[in-house]
């Protein structure tokens, strides 16, 4: 039906006849000559219909927004002064000789070039939203990214192998989406949170380089960069160590940025140990484009009489830290400081102490804050020296359990940096390495795996058993602009180590056999050393596209409540379907 896409018609086709199909993006009647901007997935072309072609002109008079059209005509130059440099077709137009209305359209709920559209309307009419050029460009970018990854991994000897969608529920992760079994009454499948165990089994089977672009499912609370179903680029290898794996993946990410965006990322990526990342930035995924860092003050405050600081400094898992804001004393109003106080409260902080540095040379008298009178001269001098504060700066403080201080000041660092325009550069990738194996869950009163229970420790079995708090994992995360885009580790490949890790996590032998018996058995039959990682494709493409949410780079996403406004899913099912599955619903009041 067509010879070319609309967005591909250019000066190279001058004088040639073309057949085009697409949607009427805009129709204009200029003194008897009708102009139609015809749109398809590749872009726009201007079609001119004049009264000399009576049949085509009569059809063009009936055209309205989003009608589906087929046009035949000849490519000619646009009149001088009417060129559009923003379009591939901006120097030409198509003189229409025939126009066929393939289908009519009702007036759409929004225009395809409209920018301010409510998300609810966009998701309810997603098929229309996806016609918008910005959305088509984002999905084209996504396709190009995936295409590059496949070509790169194929060239490196990786095999694309599918793993099951119906599998077994496992602990130590987010909530599973459960699928009732009709043929096994009372039993349930689970949709995979990741192909983790299957890809490890593939290593045991001898497929030493595996990858898969795979859908994963997690029944968890949503936010801008999470969805109940999402896509991973899942990768696993055998006989490679951390440096080999991260080297391969780093080269791949540099390559996709160069090919798709024309961006040259640094070579090599910086590497930051977890402890250093938390100490300097309060985050294991720091945005290095923001130059501010946290300053450690815990030791300084241990002997102070100011209990807010000294009690936190002397607590077993306490921390006192400062965040210097360059020029903040002059740029931030009291109302803004109060707003930041409310902001850090979301992360458990009970307040936000601060000092305005008016004149360093005047000592105590040059500092402005309600807390200055509570601190010794030595403590104030240490704050100025360690933060490097100068006249006009402002210093925020966090004093509480380490996790609260890290979360609150880490988030405040990002917000202040963005609010004050302190972000430097476009792209800042890095590797965060040397994660703790375990973290203590005070609610559960037990150790939890920092990544997952199949991550290998750096040291031996005895070290993990005797001092789990100090155990370091052979884990690595790739971070880009403050977002974790990929994470992985070297895996446990000996059964005795896996059993010991399960014990530390409170999974006894009976539970381990019930949940992971197939894995423990497989480890006994010559399991090779192996490791891998998974990239969050949605997050990566979101960053590359400059979008604000992963919903903007997914064709059919869910809402914040995990609902599909387009199909009205989830939905009720019939009693007959429930009986067939041996399920009875219990209605909550």
């Amino acid at each position: 039906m067509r010879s070319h896409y609309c967005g591909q018609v250019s000066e190279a086709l001058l004088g040639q006849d073309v057949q085009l199909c697409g949607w009427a993006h805009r129709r204009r009647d200029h003194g008897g000559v009708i102009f139609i901007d015809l749109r398809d997935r590749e872009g726009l072309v201007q079609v001119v219909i004049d009264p000399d072609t009576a049949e085509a002109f009569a059809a063009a008079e009936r055209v309205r927004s989003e009608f589906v059209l087929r046009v035949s005509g000849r490519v000619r130059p646009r009149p001088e002064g009417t060129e559009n440099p923003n379009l591939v077709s901006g120097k030409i137009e198509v003189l229409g000789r025939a126009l066929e209305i393939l289908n009519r359209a009702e007036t759409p709920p929004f225009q395809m070039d409209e920018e301010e559209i409510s998300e609810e309307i966009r998701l309810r009419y997603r098929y229309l939203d996806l016609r918008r050029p910005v959305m088509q460009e984002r999905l084209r970018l996504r396709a190009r990214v995936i295409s590059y990854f496949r070509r790169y991994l194929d060239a490196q000897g990786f095999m694309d192998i599918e793993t099951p969608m119906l599998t077994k529920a496992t602990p130590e992760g987010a909530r599973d989406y459960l699928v009732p079994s009709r043929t096994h009454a009372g039993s349930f499948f689970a949709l995979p949170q990741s192909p983790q165990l299957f890809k490890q089994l593939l290593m045991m089977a001898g497929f030493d380089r595996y990858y898969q672009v795979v859908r994963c499912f997690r029944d968890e609370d949503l936010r801008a960069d999470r969805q109940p179903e999402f896509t991973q680029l899942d990768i696993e290898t055998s006989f490679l160590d951390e440096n080999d794996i991260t080297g391969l993946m780093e080269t791949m990410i540099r390559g996709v940025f160069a090919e798709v965006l024309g961006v040259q990322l640094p070579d090599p990526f910086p590497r930051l140990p977890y402890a250093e990342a938390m100490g300097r930035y309060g985050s294991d995924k720091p945005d290095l484009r923001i130059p501010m860092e946290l300053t450690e003050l815990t030791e300084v405050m241990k002997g102070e009489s100011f209990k807010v600081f000294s009690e936190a400094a002397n607590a077993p898992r306490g921390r006192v830290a400062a965040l210097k804001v360059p020029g903040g004393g002059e740029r931030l109003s009291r109302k803004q400081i109060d707003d930041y106080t409310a902001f850090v409260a979301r992360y458990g902080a009970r307040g936000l102490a601060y000092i305005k540095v008016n004149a360093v040379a005047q000592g105590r008298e040059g500092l402005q804050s309600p807390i200055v009178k509570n601190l010794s001269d030595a403590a104030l001098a240490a704050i100025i020296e360690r933060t490097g504060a100068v006249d006009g700066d402002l210093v925020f403080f966090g004093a509480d359990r380490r996790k609260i201080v890290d979360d609150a000041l880490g988030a405040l660092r990002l917000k202040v940096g963005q609010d004050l325009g302190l972000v430097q550069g476009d792209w800042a990738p890095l590797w965060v390495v040397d994660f703790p194996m375990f973290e203590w869950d005070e609610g559960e009163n037990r150790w939890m795996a920092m990544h997952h229970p199949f991550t290998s420790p750096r040291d031996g079995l005895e070290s993990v058993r005797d001092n789990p708090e100090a155990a370091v994992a052979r884990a690595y995360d790739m971070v880009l602009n403050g977002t974790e885009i990929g994470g992985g580790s070297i895996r446990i490949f000996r059964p005795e180590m896996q059993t010991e890790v399960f014990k530390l996590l409170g999974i006894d032998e009976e539970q381990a056999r019930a949940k992971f018996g197939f894995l423990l058995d497989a480890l006994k039959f010559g399991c090779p050393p192996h490791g891998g990682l998974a990239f969050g494709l949605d997050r990566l493409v979101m960053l590359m596209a400059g979008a604000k949410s992963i919903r903007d780079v997914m064709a059919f996403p869910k809402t914040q409540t995990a609902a599909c406004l387009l199909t009205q899913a989830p939905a009720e099912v019939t009693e007959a379907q429930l009986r067939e599955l041996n399920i009875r619903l219990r209605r909550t009041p």
Side-chain angles (χ1 to χ4, degrees), residues 206-488:
F207 295 97
D208 64 324
R209 293 197 174 194
Y210 141 95
Y211 82 93
Q212 185 181 187
V213 177
V214 61
R215 296 293 275 181
C216 301
F217 306 85
R218 293 180 186 174
D219 187 7
E220 60 185 352
D221 297 332
L222 307 184
R223 58 179 188 238
D225 60 348
R226 285 186 180 173
Q227 281 277 292
E229 53 178 322
F230 56 95
T231 305
Q232 284 186 180
L233 174 62
D234 204 54
I235 298 166
E236 197 79 3
T237 70
S238 296
F239 306 114
L240 297 181
D241 64 18
E242 297 96 315
N243 291 330
D244 297 326
I245 295 171
T246 55
L248 277 171
M249 297 303 103
E250 190 176 310
T251 300
M252 180 178 75
I253 295 299
R254 272 197 299 271
V256 76
F257 268 77
E259 178 171 300
V260 176
L261 296 184
V263 168
Q264 300 299 319
L265 295 179
D267 182 7
F269 292 178
R271 287 175 178 254
L272 198 62
Y274 171 87
E276 186 178 343
M278 298 304 295
R280 293 171 59 186
Y281 304 106
S283 172
D284 60 0
K285 44 183 181 292
D287 189 343
L288 298 186
R289 298 174 303 162
I290 297 173
M292 295 185 295
E293 296 188 14
L294 307 189
T295 300
E296 190 62 54
L297 295 173
T298 305
E299 289 298 322
V300 171
M301 298 301 169
K302 282 187 174 180
E304 290 294 301
S305 60
F306 186 37
K307 288 187 176 180
V308 173
F309 285 3
S310 61
E311 288 181 355
N314 288 289
R317 289 190 173 91
R319 185 185 189 191
V320 182
L323 175 68
K324 182 191 74 174
V325 181
E330 299 170 344
R331 300 179 63 184
L332 295 177
S333 67
R334 181 54 193 265
K335 181 183 183 307
Q336 288 173 297
I337 293 173
D338 290 342
D339 290 343
Y340 289 138
T341 303
F343 173 77
V344 297
R346 304 177 198 171
Y347 300 90
R350 291 171 288 183
L352 183 61
Y354 69 91
I355 292 177
K356 283 188 176 183
V357 182
N358 296 327
V360 171
Q362 297 178 20
R364 178 185 294 271
E365 301 305 317
L367 305 179
Q368 179 184 346
S369 168
I371 70 168
V372 168
K373 63 181 182 293
N374 300 314
L375 296 172
S376 68
D377 289 342
L380 293 173
I383 290 169
I384 298 300
E385 179 185 357
R386 294 192 178 200
T387 61
V390 298
D391 295 356
D393 290 348
L394 183 141
V395 181
F396 286 118
F397 299 90
D400 211 310
R401 293 199 311 273
R402 176 171 291 274
K403 183 177 185 338
I404 291 176
V405 172
D406 290 346
D407 290 349
L409 289 188
L412 182 65
R413 173 181 171 270
L414 295 179
K415 182 163 180 58
V416 172
Q418 291 161 358
D419 290 349
L420 298 186
L422 301 178
V423 178
Q424 299 175 356
D426 296 321
W427 303 103
L430 76 150
W431 288 102
V432 177
V433 298
D434 296 340
F435 284 82
M437 274 284 289
F438 310 104
E439 56 185 342
W440 184 256
D441 188 310
E442 294 183 1
E444 295 276 339
N445 196 34
R446 69 182 180 96
W447 292 110
M448 304 286 282
M450 176 69 86
H451 275 71
H452 56 61
F454 316 109
T455 300
S456 177
R458 189 172 60 191
D459 299 318
L461 181 62
E462 293 76 13
S463 176
V464 173
R465 181 192 297 128
D466 298 339
N467 193 5
E469 187 168 12
V472 175
R474 298 176 68 183
Y476 35 83
D477 283 359
M478 186 183 288
V479 176
L480 181 64
N481 293 2
T483 297
E484 177 203 328
I485 60 170

Side-chain angles (χ1 to χ4, degrees), residues 33-198:
V33 177
I34 296 176
F35 295 85
I36 296 173
D37 291 336
L38 193 65
R39 186 193 73 244
D40 60 21
R41 75 175 201 186
E42 297 298 327
L44 294 169
V45 67
Q46 178 173 280
V47 177
V48 182
I49 311 290
D50 63 39
D52 293 342
T53 52
E55 189 174 342
F57 191 83
E61 288 185 310
R62 300 195 301 272
V63 169
R64 297 293 180 267
S65 179
E66 296 308 302
F67 276 28
V68 185
L69 309 178
R70 180 171 184 262
V71 173
S72 299
R74 176 158 293 181
V75 181
R76 70 179 187 185
R78 287 198 189 194
E80 187 175 350
T82 66
E83 298 93 342
N84 186 344
N86 297 319
L87 297 177
V88 172
S89 61
K91 293 186 177 181
I92 58 88
E93 61 188 14
V94 175
L95 178 62
R97 294 174 174 172
L99 185 150
E100 180 183 359
I101 297 175
L102 299 176
N103 210 347
R104 303 168 64 86
E106 295 184 3
T107 302
F110 52 82
Q111 295 300 312
M112 298 306 113
D113 54 3
E114 193 174 339
E115 294 184 4
E116 298 298 325
I117 311 167
S118 77
E119 186 170 58
E120 180 179 351
I121 294 295
R122 289 178 57 202
L123 295 181
R124 189 176 301 278
Y125 297 95
R126 189 61 164 185
Y127 45 87
L128 295 179
D129 186 45
L130 291 176
R131 290 184 191 174
R132 297 194 303 133
V134 63
M135 292 301 297
Q136 299 227 327
E137 178 56 35
R138 286 169 179 169
L139 291 190
R140 271 199 303 272
L141 183 145
R142 183 186 179 107
R144 292 174 64 197
V145 167
I146 293 173
S147 173
Y148 178 88
F149 285 157
R150 289 188 184 280
R151 285 184 279 118
Y152 176 86
L153 293 168
D154 288 344
Q156 295 295 327
F158 286 80
M159 295 178 63
D160 183 355
I161 303 176
E162 293 180 345
T163 54
M165 284 289 104
L166 295 176
T167 182
K168 189 175 186 178
T170 58
E172 301 301 316
R175 288 184 295 271
D176 289 308
Y177 276 100
L178 299 178
V179 180
S181 170
R182 178 182 61 81
T183 54
H184 297 82
S187 295
F188 293 80
F189 294 105
L191 299 179
Q193 295 185 32
S194 85
Q196 180 63 45
L197 294 179
F198 288 105

Side-chain angles (χ1 to χ4, degrees), residues 483-526:
T483 297
E484 177 203 328
I485 60 170
S489 66
I490 301 299
R491 322 301 188 188
I492 295 170
F493 70 100
R494 292 194 174 100
E496 57 272 16
M497 177 63 83
Q498 188 65 76
T499 299
E500 186 61 35
V501 168
F502 282 156
K503 287 180 183 177
L504 279 168
L505 297 174
I507 303 172
D508 61 30
E509 186 174 349
E510 183 178 349
Q511 290 175 314
R513 290 300 312 174
K515 295 291 186 182
F516 304 109
F518 62 93
L519 174 67
L520 294 171
D521 288 341
L523 290 173
K524 299 174 184 177
F525 291 97

